[in-house]
């Protein structure tokens, strides 16, 4: 195609790039491990569907190149073959060109309607255009999944032929998927003839051919009788009907002996193996993998997407999902077909067969955020138990005060955020306290501890605006704990390194008669933490005055929380922090600032704080893909690896401790220049360099510097004497303003080849 001139200059670069990729990827883990439970006993293959189509346009040069860069050396490139009007085979994800290209905007053709498998389908079909039509009219590939970024569409990736895809990229594995042979035959186009022409090209090697049509695979078998090409039968939806046998795919899945007569393997949607119920919870596995292996059939699982919600059992962790298919102790699929091939590459090579007692490879502290709050309501007994089970080092308790002066663990001082208080008899206690927060709330000190115990916990879902909810089956599970209960639970957990006690709003609480710092010191002393060193005690606050109150306690590590995104810190400010803190908590954006969900670069905040002997912990790590920059490819493990391996942070504060603990045990760490591409930290800002001018997001002002004025505070005020009230349990007197006048109670408002070079620089 004429449009290949736009990338021809990159070909020389890609040859050198891919050579280095093969070298790096080939240097995967060499650690001995149990034999795989695949048909061959070898590790499963990674098949990149349309390349790295989770980020670049499906079947584009960029998508295929990134798949080769970030996958193992034997990653298989998948090409969905479509035929043009003149019988050319192109790599394109669908019969229709509308959704994955700009054809509708560059050509004014009216859509055509054809029958596809008996269904009337309207669009701009490949059979209505010659290869020359597509090239001469500048038809370029575009991102066809609207929830994914379209910022790379300006790269003008041309539609590539099957032959050019192979010769330009030279993959070690090449897979052709023929989805609609019967449709093309109806329009006098022969997929068989096309494949015959490809086999006559000595420069192209086809490793796999798949199709959901039985007759097609039976028909082409003679062409490849003397080749090493494998035929794979693709199962569609269980109730869909295979056209040549007129049987449902569910029925065919029960007759694998028949499938073996014309195929050496099968592709099945992952739900065929691990079904989920209507609430997206895993059901027991089927026997299809074991049954297929008995017949001598390889099994490839499909429909893996990091950015599509899957079973709640995986806690939004795509690595956990892949491990369920390749390392469950019963069977392993022979390959996975993914839009994000970097993730299964790491899952297979770095995380499989680790066992429960794998050694930590790196010194990365894992601190919980309200316990395992990604799986259970935060700060409940079940969230804390899950965090301990998941390998957390430091268990956290954000201390809030109740009306009767009991220190409890609760994620925020506003009960609306984490309890069912608005559905209780206390819903009329809504007040507005500007010193604490904007808007209204029902605060912990408005209710007694016995009142709070009548409320149900509520799981947090910080990405609910994207319809991503957490573990709904257990959304109200568990019970809240007092600080004393928390300390007792932590002290009995031998695996813990320590506890982190977070204190906020102490100045305001002191003015209202609540001595939160004294309550914490008293609870720690009663629990014996002031006299032991087995578990360290970390005291965290965004108020330097709070930390100064604990400065004289020799057994406590003091942690200063920077409660805003910063772009740097003055030297004098860092010196001030050193006077009262041993460590600092900063936001992710303070390490890698973002612009429209792209990493815009990196700051020197971590390095400068560490140079002052301050440990740096970063918050908050969450598994939901919408909580991560595009640069991390919708994979929380890639994000953690980039913050640790790229920025050198000392610890993570996370809703999902299991993901972080598993990361630091993976066998691909500490390998120096032998680190595989899929365990290499991303380079902040490199992905943004691939965005062309017309797609660039507006520039954002840099985050402010942290100054002395942000850090230095007057001492905590003395705890005011509390005036006894005659209010009944379940009511609260209105908080008073500094002038002594009651604040007005308000109603509840709940806020609901430059391109290739840049790709290379990503890692």
């Amino acid at each position: 195609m004429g449009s290949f001139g736009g990338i021809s200059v990159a070909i020389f670069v890609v040859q050198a790039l891919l050579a280095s990729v093969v070298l790096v990827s080939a240097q995967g883990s060499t650690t001995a491990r149990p034999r795989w439970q695949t048909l061959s006993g070898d590790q499963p293959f990674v098949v990149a569907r349309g390349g790295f189509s989770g980020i670049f346009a499906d079947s584009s040069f960029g998508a295929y190149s990134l798949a080769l860069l970030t996958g193992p050396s034997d990653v298989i490139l998948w090409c969905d073959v479509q035929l043009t009007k003149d019988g050319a085979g192109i790599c394109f994800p669908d019969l229709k060109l509308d959704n994955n290209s700009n054809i509708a905007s560059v050509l004014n053709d009216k859509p055509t309607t054809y029958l596809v498998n008996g269904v009337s389908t309207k669009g701009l079909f490949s059979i209505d255009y010659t290869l020359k039509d597509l090239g001469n009219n500048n038809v370029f590939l575009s991102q066809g999944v609207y929830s994914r970024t379209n910022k790379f569409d300006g790269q003008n990736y041309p539609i590539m032929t099957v032959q050019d895809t192979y010769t330009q990229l030279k993959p070690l594995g090449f897979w052709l998927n023929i989805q609609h042979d019967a449709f093309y035959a109806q329009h006098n186009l022969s997929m068989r003839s096309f494949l015959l022409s490809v086999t006559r090209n000595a420069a192209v090697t086809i490793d796999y051919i798949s199709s959901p049509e039985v007759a097609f695979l039976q028909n082409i078998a003679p062409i490849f009788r003397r080749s090493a090409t494998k035929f794979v039968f693709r199962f569609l939806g269980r109730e869909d009907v295979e056209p040549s046998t007129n049987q449902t795919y569910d029925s065919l899945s029960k007759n694998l002996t028949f499938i073996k007569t014309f195929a050496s393997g099968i592709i099945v949607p992952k739900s065929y193996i691990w079904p989920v119920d209507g609430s997206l919870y895993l059901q027991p596995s089927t026997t299809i993998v074991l049954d297929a292996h008995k017949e001598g059939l390889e099994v490839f699982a499909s429909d893996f997407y990091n950015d599509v919600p899957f079973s709640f059992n995986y806690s939004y962790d795509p690595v956990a999902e892949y491990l369920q298919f390749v390392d469950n102790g019963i069977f392993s699929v022979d390959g996975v077909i993914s839009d994000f091939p970097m993730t299964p590459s790491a899952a297979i090579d770095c995380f499989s067969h680790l066992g429960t007692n794998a050694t930590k490879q790196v010194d990365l502290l894992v601190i919980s955020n309200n316990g395992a709050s990604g799986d259970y309501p935060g700060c409940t007994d079940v969230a804390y138990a899950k965090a301990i089970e998941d390998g957390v080092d430091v268990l956290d308790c954000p201390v809030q005060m109740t009306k009767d002066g009991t220190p409890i663990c609760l994620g925020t001082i506003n009960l609306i955020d984490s309890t069912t208080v608005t559905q209780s008899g206390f819903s009329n206690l809504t007040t507005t306290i500007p010193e604490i927060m904007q808007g209204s709330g029902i605060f912990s000190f408005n209710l007694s501890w016995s009142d709070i115990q009548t409320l149900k916990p509520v799981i947090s879902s910080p990405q609910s605006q994207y319809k991503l909810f957490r573990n709904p089956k257990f959304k109200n599970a568990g019970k809240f704990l007092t600080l004393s209960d928390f300390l007792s639970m932590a002290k009995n957990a031998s695996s813990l390194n320590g506890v982190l006690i977070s204190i906020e709003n102490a100045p305001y609480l002191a003015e209202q008669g609540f001595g939160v710092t004294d309550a914490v010191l008293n609870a720690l002393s009663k629990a014996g933490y002031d006299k032991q060193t087995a578990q360290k005690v970390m005291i965290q606050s965004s108020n330097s005055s709070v930390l100064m109150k604990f400065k004289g306690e020799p057994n406590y590590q003091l942690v200063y929380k920077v409660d805003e995104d910063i772009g740097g810190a003055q030297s004098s400010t860092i010196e001030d922090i050193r006077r009262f803190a041993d460590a600092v908590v900063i936001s992710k954006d303070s390490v890698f600032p973002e612009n429209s969900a792209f990493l815009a670069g990196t700051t020197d905040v971590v390095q400068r704080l560490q140079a002052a002997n301050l440990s740096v912990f970063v918050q908050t790590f969450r598994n939901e893909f919408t909580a991560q920059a595009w640069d991390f490819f919708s994979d929380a493990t890639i994000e953690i690896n980039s913050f640790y391996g790229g920025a050198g942070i000392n610890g993570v504060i996370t809703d999902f401790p299991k993901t972080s603990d598993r990361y630091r045990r993976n066998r691909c760490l500490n390998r120096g220049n032998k680190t595989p591409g899929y365990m290499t930290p991303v380079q902040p800002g490199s992905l943004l360099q691939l965005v062309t001018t017309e797609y660039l997001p507006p520039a954002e002002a840099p985050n402010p510097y942290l100054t002395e004025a942000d850090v230095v505070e007057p001492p905590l005020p003395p705890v005011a004497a509390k005036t006894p009230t005659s209010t009944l349990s379940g009511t609260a007197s209105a908080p008073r303003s500094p002038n002594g006048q009651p604040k007005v109670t308000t109603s509840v408002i709940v806020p609901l080849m430059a391109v290739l070079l840049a790709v290379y620089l990503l890692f």
Side-chain angles (χ1 to χ4, degrees):
M1 294 176 66
S3 54
F4 272 112
I7 59 171
S8 59
V9 250
I11 300 305
F12 295 106
V13 177
V14 81
Q15 302 304 329
L17 169 61
L18 296 185
S20 66
V21 169
V22 170
L23 176 62
V24 172
S25 298
Q27 295 168 339
S29 176
T30 57
T31 305
R33 66 188 84 168
R35 178 180 169 86
W36 288 92
Q37 293 174 300
T38 56
L39 181 63
S40 67
D42 297 327
Q43 73 176 33
F45 288 103
V46 174
V47 184
R49 194 191 70 84
F52 210 127
S53 53
I55 195 75
F56 291 116
D58 192 307
S59 307
S60 67
F61 187 78
Y64 285 130
S65 298
L66 187 57
L68 292 171
L69 176 64
T70 59
S73 59
D74 59 353
V75 64
I76 300 170
L77 298 189
W78 168 289
C79 164
D80 281 297
V81 182
Q82 315 299 339
L83 295 180
T84 61
K85 187 176 183 178
D86 49 349
I90 58 174
C91 292
F92 197 86
D94 192 47
L95 280 168
K96 300 189 301 176
L97 303 177
D98 321 37
N99 194 45
N100 295 275
S101 79
N102 66 342
I103 191 168
S105 61
V106 298
L107 299 176
N108 295 319
D109 297 341
K110 292 182 179 180
T112 307
T113 300
Y114 293 112
L115 282 178
V116 180
N117 293 335
V119 178
S120 181
T121 306
K122 187 177 182 179
L124 301 174
F125 288 78
S126 64
I127 62 172
D128 291 326
Y129 301 93
T130 66
L131 191 61
K132 188 175 181 180
D133 292 335
L134 300 177
N136 290 350
N137 287 288
N138 294 322
V139 176
F140 299 123
L141 292 162
S142 61
Q143 179 55 259
V145 179
Y146 296 143
S147 60
R148 297 172 179 171
T149 182
N150 69 340
K151 297 299 185 183
F152 306 112
D153 288 353
Q155 288 294 342
N156 294 340
Y157 292 117
I159 297 173
M160 297 196 291
T161 66
V162 171
Q163 293 90 332
D164 284 335
T165 299
Y166 184 89
T167 56
Q168 300 292 348
L169 293 150
K170 294 183 168 34
L172 294 185
F174 196 40
W175 189 308
L176 301 185
N177 180 58
I178 315 297
Q179 196 76 1
H180 298 288
D181 173 68
F183 172 80
Y184 290 114
Q186 292 168 8
H187 297 276
N188 299 317
L189 290 169
S190 173
M191 192 65 75
R192 186 180 191 277
S193 297
F194 166 72
L195 291 174
L196 187 60
S197 70
V198 174
T199 61
R200 291 170 179 164
N201 184 346
V204 178
T205 300
I206 304 172
D207 298 282
Y208 294 87
I209 295 177
S210 60
S211 176
E213 299 178 5
V214 171
F216 171 71
L217 292 176
Q218 291 174 327
N219 185 38
I220 64 168
I223 301 178
F224 295 90
R225 183 171 291 121
R226 296 183 179 179
S227 74
T229 303
K230 294 183 178 182
F231 298 108
V232 181
F233 180 64
R234 184 177 189 181
F235 284 85
L236 302 182
R238 289 187 178 275
E239 301 307 315
D240 292 338
V241 176
E242 195 284 320
S244 55
T245 62
N246 204 33
Q247 296 184 50
T248 64
Y249 287 96
D250 183 56
S251 176
L252 288 170
S253 71
K254 297 174 174 60
N255 190 3
L256 296 178
T257 302
F258 168 65
I259 304 299
K260 178 62 177 174
T261 62
F262 59 86
S264 62
I266 59 174
I267 297 173
V268 292
K270 60 189 180 185
S271 60
Y272 273 61
I273 302 170
W274 286 101
V276 295
D277 62 19
S279 300
L280 295 183
Y281 286 92
L282 280 181
Q283 301 300 292
S285 64
T286 68
T287 61
I288 192 167
V289 176
L290 295 173
D291 294 343
H293 284 173
K294 287 178 183 177
E295 296 293 340
L297 291 165
E298 291 182 305
V299 180
F300 294 87
S302 65
D303 297 353
F304 286 97
Y305 319 102
N306 289 8
D307 57 353
V308 175
F310 28 87
S311 171
F312 290 112
N313 297 75
Y314 303 129
S315 300
Y316 289 100
D317 183 349
V319 172
E321 182 182 33
Y322 285 110
L323 292 175
Q324 187 80 3
F325 286 80
V326 302
D327 184 21
N328 56 53
I330 302 172
F331 60 82
S332 171
V333 297
D334 301 277
V336 293
I337 301 169
S338 174
D339 288 17
F340 295 83
M342 187 174 181
T343 299
S345 300
I348 292 167
D349 186 32
C350 307
F351 293 101
S352 62
H353 304 148
L354 284 181
T356 56
N357 297 313
T359 304
K360 296 176 186 177
Q361 302 297 314
V362 294
D363 185 18
L364 177 68
L365 199 68
V366 177
I367 305 170
S368 68
N369 182 51
N370 305 332
S373 56
D375 293 306
Y376 293 102
C379 298
T380 58
D381 56 342
V382 289
Y384 287 133
K386 183 69 163 60
I388 294 169
E389 176 189 338
D390 288 347
V392 74
D393 294 317
V394 178
L395 202 63
D396 76 303
C397 169
V399 174
Q400 314 300 340
M401 298 297 292
T402 66
K403 181 181 175 181
D404 51 351
T406 302
I408 65 172
C409 299
L410 202 63
T412 70
I413 198 170
N414 183 6
L415 295 172
I416 293 175
D417 295 335
S418 55
T419 76
T420 56
V421 69
T422 58
Q423 303 163 34
S424 73
F426 307 112
S427 60
N428 63 327
L429 299 182
T430 309
T431 56
T432 301
I433 306 178
E435 296 93 329
I436 292 180
M437 58 176 283
Q438 294 181 344
S440 56
I442 301 175
F443 300 97
S444 64
F445 52 78
N446 293 145
L447 277 70
S448 68
W449 171 230
S450 60
D451 293 334
I452 291 174
Q453 287 178 288
T454 67
L455 305 176
K456 290 182 179 179
V458 174
I459 198 168
S460 68
S461 290
Q463 302 300 307
S464 60
Q465 69 268 38
Y466 302 106
K467 306 302 181 185
L468 299 181
F469 300 97
R470 292 176 172 176
N471 206 4
K473 187 182 290 186
F474 298 95
K475 65 181 180 181
N476 300 121
K479 62 180 182 180
F480 294 119
L481 303 178
T482 65
L483 175 57
S484 295
D485 293 335
F486 166 84
L487 293 173
S488 176
M489 181 181 189
K491 204 167 188 180
N492 289 327
S494 59
S495 62
L496 286 180
N497 290 350
V499 295
L500 182 147
I501 310 300
S502 176
I503 302 173
E504 298 297 338
N505 304 303
Y508 176 83
L509 290 172
E511 293 171 353
Q512 307 306 310
F514 298 101
V516 59
T517 55
D518 292 335
V520 169
L521 283 167
N522 185 49
L524 287 168
S525 178
K526 285 184 176 180
Y529 273 91
D530 59 339
K531 299 180 178 65
Q532 60 86 50
T533 57
Q535 289 182 351
K536 64 180 159 185
V537 175
M538 303 168 75
I539 305 295
Q540 175 186 296
S541 182
S542 61
N543 296 118
S544 59
S545 56
V546 170
L547 300 182
M548 291 297 291
K549 184 74 179 286
F550 286 85
K551 187 65 178 173
E553 302 293 333
N555 293 334
Y556 301 159
Q557 181 181 11
L558 305 183
V559 182
Y560 180 61
K561 177 183 175 182
V562 180
D563 57 3
E564 63 177 336
D565 297 333
I566 60 173
Q570 297 174 349
S571 298
S572 57
T573 306
I574 295 175
E575 286 301 312
D576 280 333
I577 294 173
R578 285 185 61 190
R579 289 190 302 108
F580 57 80
D582 308 295
V584 180
V585 171
I586 58 176
S587 67
K588 293 191 292 186
D589 208 68
S590 298
V591 182
F592 298 141
E594 292 185 19
N595 183 356
S596 300
F598 286 96
L599 299 186
T602 186
T603 70
D604 63 355
V605 173
V606 174
Q607 291 79 5
R608 296 196 63 213
L609 290 172
Q610 289 175 338
N613 292 321
L614 292 165
S615 298
V616 180
F617 310 134
V618 175
Q619 68 174 20
T620 304
F621 286 83
R622 298 184 168 113
N623 284 2
E624 292 95 339
F625 55 90
T626 51
Q628 301 148 19
W630 295 113
D631 305 64
F632 302 127
F633 307 126
S634 302
D635 184 345
T637 297
I638 296 174
E639 180 181 43
I640 296 167
N641 184 48
S642 297
F643 273 88
Y644 174 77
I649 66 173
N650 301 103
V652 296
I653 299 174
T654 175
D655 294 358
F656 298 90
K658 186 173 186 177
T659 302
S660 296
D661 179 59
R662 187 191 59 216
Y663 160 74
R664 59 187 178 174
R665 299 176 190 274
N666 88 76
R667 64 173 61 85
C668 295
L669 296 172
N670 287 334
R671 306 199 61 210
N673 59 8
K674 294 184 178 180
T675 302
Y678 37 83
M679 196 47 65
T680 303
V682 303
Q683 296 299 314
S686 295
L687 202 58
L688 194 58
Q689 292 178 14
L690 295 176
V691 179
T692 53
T693 303
E694 65 271 29
Y695 284 90
L696 274 175
E700 295 184 357
N703 292 325
Y705 262 55
L706 189 67
T707 66
E708 291 180 76
D710 298 318
V711 171
V712 178
E713 296 176 349
L716 283 175
V719 178
K722 294 180 65 176
T723 303
T725 65
S726 59
T727 55
L728 299 174
S729 176
T731 65
S733 56
R736 295 185 174 270
S737 61
N739 63 10
Q741 297 301 312
K743 292 181 179 291
V744 177
T745 301
T746 62
S747 61
V748 179
I749 302 175
V750 185
L752 257 183
M753 181 129 295
V755 171
L756 224 297
L757 195 54
V759 169
Y760 176 67
L761 291 174
L762 283 172
F763 297 91

